Amino acid sequence: MIVAALRLLGRHARWTLPFGVCTGLVWPALAEALQSWVLPTMIGMITVSLLRLEWAALMTTLARPGLLIRMSGWAMVISPVAVWLLARIGVIPEAFTVLSVLQAASAPIGSAAAFALFLGIPGHVCMAGTVVMTLMLPITLTATASLLLPSFGIQVDLVQFFVRVTLSALAPFAITYVIRRWAGDVRLRALDAELAGLNVVLLVLFAIAIMNGVTETFLERPGFILGLFAWSWFAAAFWHAAGYLLLRANGFEQAMSSALLLGNRNLGLTLA
């Protein structure tokens, strides 16, 4: 019965994120209870995505690094600096400056490749980009915290910050290695539908948990929450457009892959 339920959830993944967000909003006590699950569920989602990867296609894409270097440089280095500069000159609303910089410094979400496949685009470029940028995160995010965030009055213990980000970013890869060695590729391919359903369960739990405090804040400061919601939609649209234009000359599939990588950032992992 559990297997059938996971398969059913995997086929209806598109509705899970809004369902989790709405549940967290209308049931704030549950969101508070699940707050400590944010990092474990995030690591779990990345791990499941890695377990579902076609590693042969990944290695083929990694063997041609020019495209990945270009996308990764823009996403992980140029983007946060550009947003920081826009914030410093007052283009970005002051209330959203730090979140905007952190969003620009975040790696892509683990399901970017799944989004590509849903749109009928080969997912290997998104898959490779997600892996490369997640592995870059300990260095680039620590650089953002040490060089950019202090201008907004934010100071962090860089050693502790680096260790935390490194462990969070590398844990899924270590877990994936152990599971793949134990289970084998053939068994994991046979369980792909169940893994998709498991990812849905983790996504719902994560979406509920990150809504902790949002309902209370909305009741106290509705203008701030509505403004943040509007700004989030604008930022998502902007980064999708920027990613598309970055590789427009390389053809539609490459441009859309870049749009999905730059437009869907894993801010949850950055803030966890």
Side-chain angles (χ1 to χ4, degrees):
M1 183 167 182
I2 294 177
V3 171
L6 288 175
R7 290 177 177 174
L8 179 64
L9 287 172
R11 291 195 297 268
H12 297 85
R14 73 182 72 179
W15 304 109
T16 57
L17 183 58
F19 172 79
V21 168
C22 292
T23 302
L25 289 174
V26 301
W27 196 352
L30 180 59
E32 183 178 3
L34 293 177
Q35 177 60 32
S36 61
W37 290 34
V38 170
L39 183 57
T41 52
M42 178 57 62
I43 291 175
M45 285 189 291
I46 298 174
T47 300
V48 173
S49 296
L50 291 173
L51 289 172
R52 300 181 66 201
L53 288 184
E54 289 290 343
W55 287 86
L58 173 64
M59 298 310 296
T60 300
T61 305
L62 291 175
R64 301 191 299 270
L67 184 68
L68 293 175
I69 291 173
R70 185 177 176 187
M71 285 193 300
S72 301
W74 274 95
M76 305 301 290
V77 179
I78 297 176
S79 292
V81 174
V83 172
W84 177 79
L85 289 173
L86 291 174
R88 295 296 291 169
I89 63 176
V91 174
I92 298 175
E94 184 177 356
F96 309 139
T97 52
V98 175
L99 280 177
S100 297
V101 171
L102 289 176
Q103 179 191 27
S106 299
I109 60 175
S111 55
F115 290 168
L117 294 173
F118 177 74
L119 295 173
I121 302 167
H124 56 277
V125 174
C126 285
M127 175 178 61
T130 299
V131 170
V132 170
M133 294 181 211
T134 301
L135 291 174
M136 291 173 62
L137 194 62
I139 296 175
T140 56
L141 190 58
T142 302
T144 298
S146 63
L147 300 176
L148 304 183
L149 294 188
S151 63
F152 302 122
I154 297 177
Q155 300 289 338
V156 298
D157 184 325
L158 291 179
V159 174
Q160 183 181 14
F161 183 83
F162 176 78
V163 170
R164 179 176 176 82
V165 174
T166 300
L167 291 176
S168 300
L170 298 185
F173 293 92
I175 297 171
T176 298
Y177 175 79
V178 172
I179 295 177
R180 292 185 76 90
R181 292 279 293 182
W182 170 71
D185 290 342
V186 174
R187 186 184 299 178
L188 288 174
R189 281 197 295 270
L191 293 173
D192 186 71
E194 288 81 358
L195 289 173
L198 177 59
N199 218 10
V200 169
V201 174
L202 293 170
L203 179 58
V204 170
L205 293 174
F206 172 78
I208 295 173
I210 61 173
M211 289 296 104
N212 181 40
V214 174
T215 302
E216 292 84 350
T217 304
F218 176 76
L219 294 175
E220 296 172 0
R221 302 165 60 196
F224 172 76
I225 295 298
L226 292 175
L228 180 60
F229 179 78
W231 182 256
S232 299
W233 275 95
F234 168 79
F238 172 83
W239 285 119
H240 276 86
Y244 184 88
L245 292 174
L246 176 64
L247 294 184
R248 183 182 180 185
N250 293 63
F252 178 76
E253 289 185 358
Q254 304 283 29
M256 283 300 298
S257 296
S258 178
L260 290 171
L261 288 171
L262 268 69
N264 297 281
R265 303 297 188 95
N266 198 343
L267 189 57
L269 180 61
T270 300
L271 297 176

